[in-house]
Amino acid sequence: MVAAVPADELEFRVLGALDVLRGGERVELDDLERKVLALLLIEADRVVDPGWLADRLPTDPADAIRPCLSRLRRTLHPALAEEAGGYVLRPGEGLDSRLAEQLIASARVALRFGDRHAAIAVLDHALARWRGDSLAGLAGEPWARAEASRLDELRRTALADRAAAERGPAMPAPEAEHVLVGRAAELAVLTGALDDAEAGRSGVVLLEAPAGAGKTRLGEELARRAVRRGFLALWARTGVGAGVPALQAWTELLATLHKIRPDAVPDGGSHSADELAALLRTVAATEPLLLLFDDLQWVDCPSVRLLRAVAERLAGARVLIWIAGRPGSPPAELSGVQRVPVGPLETAEVAELLAAVAGRQPPARLVRSVAKRSGGNAFLVTAMARLLAESSTVDDMPAEPDAIVRVILDRLDPDQRSTVDAAAGLGRHLDIAVVTAVLDRPEAQVRTTLDRLVRDGILRRSLSGVRHSFVHDLIWETAYTRLPASERAALHGRIADAMIPIARIDRDRVFEVAAHLARAGTGRDDEARAWSARAGEPAGALLGGAVRGDVSGG
């Protein structure tokens, strides 16, 4: 059930016309106050400079923004406060869109594990938050358009999920990348580490194995088991693509933790290892923590160094740190680290995985052939199973991971292939608005293509249903590196052009614009230097961390 908001607290409603309630009574706002408040809500929990607001809301008289902020500060106290550098609005759980996002994410977890009745109930609570089009009356403003579109897309995906759940009773078969077979030995070690953490014996487990071995899937299963035991499980996934800001892994993790525990975790700011360890201890005293650092090969080096330092300071805390990466990733020489080998699948496990993906038991000869050619690599087994839907033999299939992926990509139709190419320039995680601008196609057409790519096992949707990412790094890497260097440079230029209008409103995107311009070729060097200066990074630093000489990692 959704908890009621205490009578003396403020409620901020953006899932419809912008409204503010205090104790259930509407707070009256004039037109300028409504627009300033909308911008503050879009920038919630960030310090906003009055000059930045004035640039987006030209007024007559020109100095009307500061008096407006003063009035709002008195009206919305204590949620709106003046701090060094500007004003910050902290709506907490009183912002209806935050509550809706949390509910929808919870419902998608329930759907993933087949509990459709619980999912329907939670989705109904989420959908009840909407009172019409998001930010109605303001969505036409350039600064509000992206957020309104994002929230309305969130609603559409929630409606689609509810319709799918209603069609039951049978739920769809698990997505191939979420199938887990075998791994009893690995799970026994991981479960033992959970036991230790729950008892106050903090630990670090490290899974190091080639791409496609199934490390992430083991992390997902560990997280599922941890949550069922009362742990708070947090992923510190980092971006993969053009440019990875320093400490991004920790920034993402702490931002998520702040949303869940705003009382214990301050928003923003820098943290020393001592401060972070103390913060995690405080949270873990209430509920044990599982911190998952996936894809260590993409985690920026400052994040890895901070991870080492924090882990050394957590002795006796109810915290388990799970790390996964490929051989040769930045070293994780952590005190007391427990290494968990992730070996190839046995032939019987290959048979089980093939049956789970294909929906039927494969012939023994086919199982032996797939096991031999894949080397027991879970990703390759899954990829071969998809190809076998169009062929009865694996004899003519390549055995190298990138070659298998090239075969899969070559079978896409031209519309899908061009969409994958455009998306690959962004990295593993996609921004639909940017992909749409780069392709210069109607957004509805792009979304239809993305849905087909999800069905074909190229992309996956996030738990919230709004964002897309490549199913596996191997697909993204292969799609990106198969493009000629000149096409990659031109693609980064188009991505930068699409992002620049967004970055002028969303300061968090400045770094990405700078990184894409740095890869767009010598013709845009001056722009790259200018945006790099705005991002606070030298242009050369944005080209670091290359994989295969060009793919940006970190």
Side-chain angles (χ1 to χ4, degrees), residues 173 350-364 366-367 384-393:
V350 169
E352 187 179 349
L353 182 53
L354 284 172
V357 175
R360 60 182 184 277
Q361 193 63 41
L366 184 60
V367 171
M384 288 181 175
R386 293 188 183 280
L387 291 177
L388 285 167
E390 304 174 22
S391 173
S392 59
T393 178

Side-chain angles (χ1 to χ4, degrees), residues 87-445:
Y87 290 77
V88 58
L89 178 63
R90 295 191 173 92
E93 297 306 304
L95 179 56
D96 60 353
S97 60
R98 284 185 175 175
L99 179 58
E101 287 187 83
Q102 291 170 4
L103 290 169
I104 291 168
S106 298
R108 291 186 67 83
V109 171
L111 281 173
R112 178 172 290 176
F113 292 104
D115 193 347
R116 68 186 188 90
H117 297 295
I120 289 171
V122 175
L123 285 169
D124 283 343
H125 281 302
L127 290 165
R129 307 295 111 191
W130 270 271
R131 298 164 290 110
D133 293 338
S134 302
L135 289 169
L138 296 170
E141 300 284 350
W143 45 264
R145 194 173 299 136
E147 179 67 1
S149 176
R150 183 186 75 83
L151 293 173
D152 286 336
E153 176 61 18
L154 184 70
R155 184 188 193 184
R156 285 191 290 270
T157 59
L159 287 166
D161 286 340
R162 195 191 187 287
E166 282 281 12
R167 285 196 296 269
M171 293 300 295
E175 297 173 13
E177 67 270 19
H178 295 302
V179 174
L180 179 64
V181 299
R183 304 304 187 196
E186 293 91 336
L187 286 172
V189 175
L190 294 174
T191 302
L194 270 185
D195 294 338
D196 289 342
E198 193 170 16
R201 298 185 294 274
S202 64
V204 181
V205 290
L206 172 63
L207 281 65
E208 192 175 57
K215 303 180 293 297
T216 300
R217 182 62 191 91
L218 278 166
E220 290 175 339
E221 180 62 22
L222 176 65
R224 185 177 73 87
R225 295 185 180 196
V227 169
R228 285 187 171 183
R229 292 169 57 164
F231 277 71
L232 180 58
L234 299 170
W235 288 88
R237 299 179 199 254
T238 188
V240 177
V244 179
L247 297 176
Q248 182 178 347
W250 281 101
T251 300
E252 282 199 1
L253 187 148
L254 290 171
T256 303
L257 188 53
H258 170 73
K259 289 179 180 179
I260 299 170
R261 293 285 305 276
D263 57 316
V265 183
D267 181 43
S270 59
H271 300 278
S272 68
D274 288 332
E275 290 172 328
L276 277 175
L279 183 154
L280 295 173
R281 283 180 180 278
T282 299
V283 175
T286 303
E287 51 191 331
L289 284 174
L290 170 63
L291 308 181
L292 301 107
F293 287 80
D294 200 10
D295 294 322
L296 191 63
Q297 69 276 3
W298 302 123
V299 177
D300 59 284
C301 291
S303 285
V304 175
R305 288 193 293 270
L306 185 56
L307 173 59
R308 293 193 195 106
V310 170
E312 291 169 355
R313 291 163 170 78
L314 287 175
R318 296 197 301 165
V319 180
L320 175 61
I321 298 176
W322 176 95
I323 307 169
R326 301 180 194 173
S329 301
E333 293 133 2
L334 303 167
S335 301
V337 64
Q338 185 173 13
R339 295 180 181 272
V340 183
V342 182
L345 297 174
E346 302 290 340
T347 302
E349 294 167 341
V350 169
E352 187 179 349
L353 182 53
L354 284 172
V357 175
R360 60 182 184 277
Q361 193 63 41
R365 185 190 66 80
L366 184 60
V367 171
R368 291 193 298 271
S369 180
V370 170
K372 180 178 180 181
R373 296 186 70 82
S374 68
N377 181 287
F379 172 79
L380 287 183
V381 173
T382 302
M384 288 181 175
R386 293 188 183 280
L387 291 177
L388 285 167
E390 304 174 22
S391 173
S392 59
T393 178
V394 297
D395 294 341
D396 58 347
M397 291 184 193
E400 297 76 22
D402 56 347
I404 281 274
V405 174
R406 280 197 296 271
V407 172
I408 293 173
L409 294 177
D410 287 343
R411 296 190 179 195
L412 299 176
D413 64 39
D415 186 43
Q416 288 177 305
R417 195 176 307 172
S418 60
T419 302
V420 167
D421 288 346
L426 283 166
R428 185 174 179 182
H429 304 284
L430 280 59
D431 183 319
I432 294 177
V434 174
V435 173
T436 299
V438 169
L439 291 171
D440 193 21
R441 294 176 188 162
E443 182 177 322
Q445 180 183 344

Side-chain angles (χ1 to χ4, degrees), residues 483-500:
L483 294 173
S486 59
E487 289 187 27
R488 289 200 294 267
L491 174 59
H492 283 297
R494 294 198 303 275
I495 290 172
D497 290 336
M499 282 186 173
I500 284 173

